[in-house]
Amino acid sequence: MKTPLPIDEVIPELQAALAANSAVVLKAPPGAGKSTRVPLELLDAAWLRGKTILMLEPRRLAARGVAAQMANTLGEKPGERVGFRVRFDNCVGKQTRIEVVTEGILTRRLQRDPELVGVGLVIFDEFHERNLHSDLALALCVDAQQGLREDLKLLVMSATLDGAALSTLLDAPVVSSEGRSYPVEISYQPGDERQRIDATLVQAVVRAFREREGDILAFLPGAGEIRRAHELLQQQLVNEPVDIYPLYGDLPLDQQKLAIRPAPNGRRKVVLSTPIAETSLTIEGVTVVVDSGWQRVPRFDPRSGLTRLETIRVSNASAEQRAGRAGRLAPGCCYRLWSSTTQSGLVPFNSPEIVEADLLPLALDLARWGVSDAETLVWLSPPPAAALTQARALLQRLEALDERGRITKLGERMATLPMHPRLAHMVIKSEALGEAALACDIAALISERDLLRGAEGLATCDFALRLEALRAHRADGAAAARGMGADGRAAVAIERASRQWRHLFKVQADNGSVDEAMVGLLLANAYPDRVAQRRGANGNRYLLANGRGAKLLDSCRGAELMVAVSLDGRGDESRIFLAASIAVADLEQSFPAQIAWQAETYWSRSEGVVVSREARRYGALLLGERPLKVDDEAAVVAAMLDGVRAEGLEALPWSDAARQLRTRLRSLRQWLPDEAWPDLSDSHLLETVEVWLAPYLNNISRRSHLARLDMVAIIKSMLDWSQQQQLEELAPTHLQVPSGSRKRLEYQVDGSAPVLAVKLQELFGLAETPAVARGRVEVMLHLLSPAQRPIQVTQDLKSFWANTYAEVKRELKGRYPKLTRNWPVDPLTLNSISLTREFWDGVNGRRRRSKKK
């Protein structure tokens, strides 16, 4: 430990804090040395008393690297005093006192041994990444600490997370290290938004290679962009002394190590990385960072029950982390491929995975821990209730939880396996069928990168073809797999995963021909909610057992019944990327408890009639049907209500009188908000049809029967006695004018003033504009000529008489000379009693007949 590190300055403070507290938060920037120096400095603490340290790293590559560096500091190899456990690999021994673990390994150890016997300290490194496993493991550790192990110490280390929030949550002091970094010059260079992310980044990398010294670390959102950028850079820098390396989680370990090692003398290095290189890893020689500004994150949609990968902008914290990589060893620079304006709009931190991810594994772990209410545990971000409820419902369908939400024996076994609960259920169920080897292959194919997805995208949706390619690789080598269009590197990773799981289940590899029927059946045990049935005789549109619609890609051929393995959650219909066929007979034979005859009474929109039948269903899928005579009037009414909801209110027989009545009442609700007039908006009526419409639907079972309804009577039934009495007073259908005529009021759907269309002369003697709704709303007067043509629109009759009438009178006298004497100078001095009969005959346009001689 001769090389000084910035973290050294706070080690004494940290040791004292841990001696006095059960939990401590250490905040230190990247490069401070917290991951590799802190565990070693704490090994001889008196409070540790010879116990071991468990350190959780969120990434496998970082776990191996951190363990190797600490072992090297001690002059040892990994597996002696410092070791690690990661997926498919472990390196620990009897003398190991610092064990670096990753993924769900700490959670599974807690489940086996809640007291963590022999462990004195659990360290959560890079906690700001907010990995789902880290959040769960911290919650379980705190619970174990409070109930079983008061002497257990917790240390949460973070580079960018709000230390105060963690401190409050854990009742822990915060120790802060300033760290050390060299200055990094930031250059904003937004690219062409019409270009692909990888093409824009390649241009920037080439530019940086010409302009700067040192090695380059470039960030891209995923492995696909990395592979395309790698190919483009090799073409553009073909004659340069440079080595180009990819770096992402699924890359074989030996290739990951190549990216981290220093470049040979006389050569430079370009590393194309996912966010795996944001923290923990120090890549030797890097002084230039090129940041695309994008990251790919999983988004779980509780509505669809599906997870999709979404490419989003990085957070401000991630952008700072990435830029800081250029200043770890010397002054550097960072090319940000976005504008300073975009920078100012970045969100401060990434969303924690727990609020976006599939919570099925978490729900199973909580059940195994004995927790029925997640709120009883300590969370920095609690799991969303809707997603957790949905996860528990699916676990019941997978037989992992009973009807009371308690874990079953099958669920206990599923939770011990290092695989997703869906896959664990499938592999366990396969044992009874003698198909565990096939199930292990299927699980590996689902867990790893798709070996038939090439640079041009998805080659085929057929899952069985992937099994054939894997077995060709296993039997005849990489050349045979490539001959089927398979990615050799993906095949190696898939075979490694399958081998590990075959070892767990003690079965030998199966190299025989692929039984497609069995493939579909096993996949249905993993995805019982995603069994899909074709809609109609042909086509590529499907209905999933969970009730959601889905569409098979146009380039793929589907069967009548399939299991959708991979699909997205976008839009009203998910897109199916990967599927396997399954026979109806196999489904019925294998899932008898989930298939039953059900009596159904429903609205058939195509026929316009209520239909009753018995249906044999698997979830939302119809496997068979037979007619059923139903005497349940309530069921028929409910189906008719569904029909009205489906077809809309226009399906009802609205007469002009009913429409005007509804409009009048809607206007009163708007004009008199303090009074309890009913809500007759479209949305509310549709939401409450069972309240106001259902009583009138007896003996109505067809669309044509709706014509029997009296909508005026139905609407009036929504009014109490007092409202019915007030309706004509507050919103009358007609108004009487000075001429003695009753004129109809036209009420407006938008609640604006009602319109009264009336001949001008009929208002002589009326000084003020008529009003409704207790005088709150003056009517809109459409003043007409003797020929019923509009001459003025006003809500201020008094002003019209005073300012406009004289001009209108001159115009009308010229237009209608025979009615000259019918235009008084002062219209307000006249009234219906004093006017002559001849005047009103003129107003009404009637000619007096001559008496016969």
Side-chain angles (χ1 to χ4, degrees), residues 655-674:
S655 63
D656 287 344
R659 292 184 189 278
Q660 269 293 300
L661 175 58
R662 182 183 171 202
T663 304
R664 288 160 64 200
L665 289 169
R666 293 182 69 178
S667 297
L668 283 178
R669 180 177 174 84
Q670 182 172 326
W671 298 335
L672 304 172
D674 296 334

Side-chain angles (χ1 to χ4, degrees), residues 737-769:
V737 295
S739 68
S741 299
R742 280 174 53 79
K743 298 295 182 181
R744 180 175 176 176
L745 274 175
E746 291 289 342
Y747 289 83
Q748 310 303 306
V749 175
D750 63 1
S752 57
V755 173
L756 180 67
V758 59
K759 291 179 183 179
L760 174 60
Q761 303 102 309
E762 294 197 65
L763 297 182
F764 290 158
L766 182 62
E768 301 287 345
T769 306

Side-chain angles (χ1 to χ4, degrees), residues 407-478:
I407 195 165
T408 62
K409 289 184 178 180
L410 176 60
E412 289 276 4
R413 189 178 177 201
M414 288 166 58
T416 65
L417 297 176
M419 58 178 65
H420 192 279
R422 286 183 182 272
L423 304 182
H425 182 260
M426 174 190 69
V427 181
I428 292 172
K429 286 291 185 178
S430 72
E431 292 179 300
L433 300 171
E435 295 289 352
L438 174 59
C440 288
D441 282 349
I442 292 173
L445 281 163
I446 293 171
S447 302
E448 301 295 329
R449 184 166 62 85
D450 189 352
L451 83 167
L452 289 188
R453 182 184 289 272
E456 300 303 318
L458 196 66
T460 173
C461 302
D462 190 346
F463 193 90
L465 285 178
R466 285 153 174 80
L467 277 164
E468 292 178 6
L470 174 63
R471 292 184 174 182
H473 176 272
R474 182 184 296 153
D476 301 318

Side-chain angles (χ1 to χ4, degrees), residues 376-397:
T376 60
L377 298 179
V378 172
W379 305 95
L380 191 57
S381 300
L388 195 55
T389 298
Q390 188 175 61
R392 286 170 172 154
L394 180 55
L395 285 174
Q396 288 181 331
R397 192 165 186 176

